[in-house]
């Protein structure tokens, strides 16, 4: 299977994470690197321990520089087009942990033009703007440090970004984006240009401060293509190539590799009601046998069970409790109904808390946002 | 001869202005339209009378709207890469006259990224920025009204422009710019995107003020290609199509159709010394016969005489005096030496005055410039 099913704007079918890493030259995070991280962070985040953040580019170098007193800053982002789901939150949860442990700045790009240009959404930029503000509330609700976090919308921060994007764009030809993104003659020129905007935050802090600052990007693998194009260009402009740490996708409730925004029932949205959650989890794919009797006898497959996976990716941070759940699936001691009731409870508890934090943070929105 | 020699970034060989107008659907300015203009301006500017501004798109509509109490604003620009020559000044001289006569606002775009992206200049954006400021001084020295003039650099005004450019870009495909500009697979994505930035000032005032405002663009014909692409897009976005009034090129001193920045000796620069002017005019192509005796006998051709053309395009606003010069060439009563001495004197008088105005206006630079 080829990773060609992983496009920046569409992920289809089953994702082979090892193959993706091999094909594009990512290194998997090994024991040695884990220890190197632990030296600064203490106990690893479960997203690392569970190999959900599983691969990287030059993360070892970032840590060496940090050790030498040359700290990095973080950069990640979110292209708004609708409400966020749990899968969207994962890179931010991890980025927040990195910010806390390394006490570093983070730039969060909200490319509010990206999907407007890349997809046929029938949304105006002003409509997307409203969605984007909503997304930012979900992000800051995670508790990023106010004084170390800069969040910006491309259309509002272009006064700072466009000049730098132009410098990047000069080194990227149509051929390059054609091959990398599968663009063609009918692609609009805004979509063609866009990747240079996504490259900018990876060196903007260096450009602003007039000296080279390492940058670490927590990223879902489908976004790697932008940086496969940009990393060499940034080196040509005299900046460090950004380092990247890659996350797998939270699978969809029906078992697809990536939770998709385009199928509402396959994803848990941050604004879902308790009833909607209950219904969606109730219909989720499990790894269990056809009947309770068979399940009790043979057990099921936790890897194919979305209830197990949702616990593993997000809702059960405690390793022992997670092991209990996975074992219960494996051994047939926990049946689907119990499994699902437990997950539903956890999701709804999380969402209730999240919604309340979201409201709490609303008044601090302006403390996080930067404009031109 | 096909107008395919007139590219946005290169004009080669002889330009057939009538053919250009015919091929691209411009209308030539006729007696009737001249009268319509005169109604508001009084005596026509010599650039109109002499058919140097010779063609238009929907200028009659702009005047009808003006008559109805729906005034237009002007938009023109200058892509900086080096010092300006006399040819560059012509659209601004005319725009200034229009501003005075109609008492309207003008937006002047300084696309400081355009040539950086479109040409291989070995100039950084910061170097171009310095050149650009110098160009702006040459422009404001013409005496634009401070309160009715907005001048902006793309890299500094992108906070306002980028969002609007994205709206335009969504409607322009690679195919379109490939055909219109002759771009190919090796064109960089910044150059591909750029035309959407050039479209923005044609509706920016409408977007800013929230209602539709007619826009009139004084333009050299090589820039028409941007608006052949953009006019339909702006209509799709719900704005008026901009109207355009077209100027011919001031020929080069050696008789090429367009004074070129890339051949320094073919153009009179606004920062030329009196000695340089004398030398350049001394070497200029004239329409005269091989010897003074032959010239006296047969006369010469004013259309082929660059000394005559420079008087006609710029340095002799007085029609009677111009006729005297052209007749002198035609009849052989003025010889090349006298001709050239007279033009040299005029050019140097103009440049002396221009340089002094330039210094006078330097302190008002900030009154004209807008930033994000």
């Amino acid at each position: 299977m080829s990773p060609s099913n992983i496009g920046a704007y569409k992920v289809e079918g089953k994702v082979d994470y090892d193959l993706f890493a091999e094909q594009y030259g990512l290194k998997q995070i090994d024991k040695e690197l884990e220890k190197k991280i632990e030296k600064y962070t203490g106990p690893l985040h479960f997203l690392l321990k569970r190999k959900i953040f599983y691969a990287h580019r030059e993360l070892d170098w970032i840590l060496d520089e940090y050790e030498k007193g040359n700290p990095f800053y973080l950069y990640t982002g979110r292209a708004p087009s609708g409400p966020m789901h749990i899968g969207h939150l994962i890179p931010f949860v991890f980025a927040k942990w990195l910010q806390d442990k390394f006490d570093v700045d983070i730039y969060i790009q909200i490319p509010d033009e990206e999907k407007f240009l890349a997809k046929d959404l029938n949304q105006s930029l002003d409509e997307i703007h409203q969605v984007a503000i909503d997304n930012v509330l979900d992000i800051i609700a995670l508790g990023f440090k106010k004084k170390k976090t800069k969040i910006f919308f491309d259309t509002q921060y272009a006064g700072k970004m466009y000049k730098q994007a132009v410098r990047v764009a000069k080194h990227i030809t149509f051929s390059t984006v054609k091959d990398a993104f599968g663009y063609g003659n009918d692609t609009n020129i805004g979509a063609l240009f866009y990747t240079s905007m996504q490259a900018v935050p990876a060196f903007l802090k260096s450009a602003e401060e007039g000296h080279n600052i390492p940058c670490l990007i927590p990223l879902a693998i489908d976004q790697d293509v932008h940086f496969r194009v940009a990393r060499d260009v940034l080196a040509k402009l005299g900046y460090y190539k950004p380092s990247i740490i890659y996350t797998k996708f939270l699978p969809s409730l029906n078992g697809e590799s990536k939770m998709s925004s385009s199928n509402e029932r396959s994803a848990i949205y941050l604004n879902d009601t308790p009833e909607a959650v209950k219904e969606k989890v109730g219909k989720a794919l499990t790894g269990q046998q056809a009947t309770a009797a068979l399940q009790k006898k043979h057990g099921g497959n936790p890897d194919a069970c979305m209830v197990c996976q949702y616990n593993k990716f997000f809702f059960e941070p405690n390793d022992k409790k997670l092991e209990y759940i996975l074992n219960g699936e494996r051994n047939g001691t926990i049946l689907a109904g119990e499994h699902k009731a437990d997950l539903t409870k956890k999701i709804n508890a999380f969402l209730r808390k999240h919604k309340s934090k979201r409201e709490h943070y609303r008044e601090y929105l302006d403390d996080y946002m930067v404009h031109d």
Side-chain angles (χ1 to χ4, degrees), chain A:
Chain A
M1 188 188 344
S2 142
S4 66
N5 59 330
I6 301 156
Y9 299 106
K10 198 167 199 177
V11 175
E12 286 174 322
K14 197 160 165 54
V15 175
D16 184 330
Y17 291 102
D18 293 340
L19 184 63
F20 184 89
E22 195 189 318
Q23 187 137 340
Y24 292 117
L26 323 183
K27 286 193 186 151
Q28 303 228 12
I29 298 171
D30 57 16
K31 281 284 157 217
E32 194 189 345
L33 187 53
E34 282 185 354
K35 275 191 188 145
K36 211 164 167 173
I37 300 169
E38 248 173 346
K39 187 178 158 192
Y40 305 100
T41 63
L44 293 182
H45 195 283
F46 71 83
L47 288 167
L48 272 172
K49 267 192 289 187
R50 297 176 190 171
K51 305 277 182 206
I52 293 164
F53 271 86
Y54 82 114
H56 73 103
R57 291 187 200 272
E58 296 181 301
L59 177 58
D60 38 358
W61 172 80
I62 279 278
L63 295 170
D64 289 343
E65 289 298 310
Y66 189 82
E67 176 72 37
K68 284 190 236 163
N70 186 21
F72 58 92
Y73 71 107
L74 295 159
Y75 156 36
T76 192
R78 151 84 184 151
S81 69
M84 285 172 76
H85 58 53
I86 296 290
H88 294 138
L89 221 50
I90 289 180
F92 291 103
V93 166
F94 188 64
K96 199 268 179 196
W97 180 77
L98 290 172
Q99 181 181 57
D100 284 348
K101 296 298 173 184
F102 290 94
D103 192 29
V104 291
D105 288 342
I106 183 165
Y107 281 30
I108 299 177
Q109 180 191 27
I110 310 291
D112 52 345
E113 85 283 43
E114 183 181 4
K115 294 199 173 163
F116 175 81
L117 290 167
K119 302 200 168 190
D120 248 334
L121 293 174
N122 261 332
Q123 275 179 310
S124 73
L125 285 172
D126 291 333
E127 284 162 349
I128 292 176
H129 184 77
Q130 288 312 309
V131 170
I133 288 173
D134 225 58
N135 288 179
V136 171
L137 289 174
D138 283 321
I139 293 166
I140 62 177
L142 298 177
F144 287 96
K145 296 183 179 182
K146 280 193 202 83
K147 294 197 171 148
K148 291 184 175 273
T149 304
K150 273 192 187 183
I151 306 181
F152 44 88
F153 296 163
D154 283 7
T155 64
Q156 291 187 338
Y157 209 48
K160 291 272 190 311
M161 294 178 71
Y162 178 68
K163 179 180 174 182
Q164 303 302 337
V166 161
R167 298 174 68 207
V168 174
K170 184 164 183 168
H171 294 280
I172 303 175
T173 64
F174 176 70
S175 275
T176 300
V177 293
K178 185 170 169 259
D179 294 348
F181 295 91
Y183 288 149
N185 282 356
D186 58 342
T187 305
N188 74 67
I189 58 177
L192 296 177
F193 178 70
Y194 170 73
T195 192
S196 47
M197 290 292 280
Q198 185 153 335
V200 169
F203 68 99
L204 187 58
K205 195 172 164 66
S206 299
E208 283 169 349
E209 300 189 10
H211 63 100
N212 236 334
I213 306 169
C215 177
L216 174 62
I217 309 176
L219 201 71
I221 60 164
D222 57 339
Q223 295 300 301
D224 183 51
V225 54
H226 288 288
F227 299 99
R228 289 200 296 274
V229 170
R231 275 169 44 91
D232 287 341
V233 174
L234 268 49
K236 278 184 201 161
L237 296 179
Y239 299 108
Y240 293 134
K241 292 184 184 186
S243 296
I244 309 179
I245 180 161
Y246 296 90
T247 175
K248 299 173 182 170
F249 304 118
L250 175 63
S252 79
L253 287 167
N254 56 22
E256 295 281 330
S257 279
K258 191 185 172 200
M259 204 187 231
S260 165
S261 306
S262 34
N263 181 354
E264 271 184 30
R265 304 188 59 176
S266 80
I268 302 289
Y269 285 87
L270 299 177
N271 60 2
D272 273 346
T273 62
E275 296 69 34
V277 169
K278 192 178 172 194
E279 200 196 325
K280 287 179 187 184
V281 174
K283 291 179 179 163
L285 180 78
T286 69
Q288 304 211 342
Q289 306 293 339
T291 67
L294 283 170
Q295 174 67 10
K296 280 183 190 166
K297 191 170 172 192
H298 301 292
N301 176 8
D303 290 340
C305 169
M306 293 308 111
V307 177
C308 292
Q309 293 304 307
Y310 273 62
N311 275 292
K312 180 179 165 187
F313 269 75
F314 204 85
F315 291 104
E316 189 44 78
N318 183 302
D319 288 333
K320 283 192 180 152
K321 289 185 185 169
L322 178 68
E323 208 39 51
Y324 173 80
I325 292 167
L326 301 186
N327 273 331
E329 169 78 13
R330 220 174 266 128
N331 306 333
T333 51
I334 309 178
L335 294 186
E338 189 185 341
H339 243 0
K340 286 178 171 176
D342 172 63
L343 180 63
T344 302
K345 216 171 106 187
K346 282 174 179 162
I347 295 179
N348 280 332
F350 171 81
L351 291 184
R352 197 166 49 242
K353 214 165 139 192
H354 180 76
K355 281 170 194 167
S356 126
K357 280 199 242 164
R358 213 174 170 282
E359 288 320 301
H360 168 74
Y361 274 91
R362 191 181 287 273
E363 66 172 300
Y364 302 109
L365 186 66
D366 288 344
D367 297 338
Y368 287 100
M369 299 289 306
V370 288
H371 310 112
D372 280 324

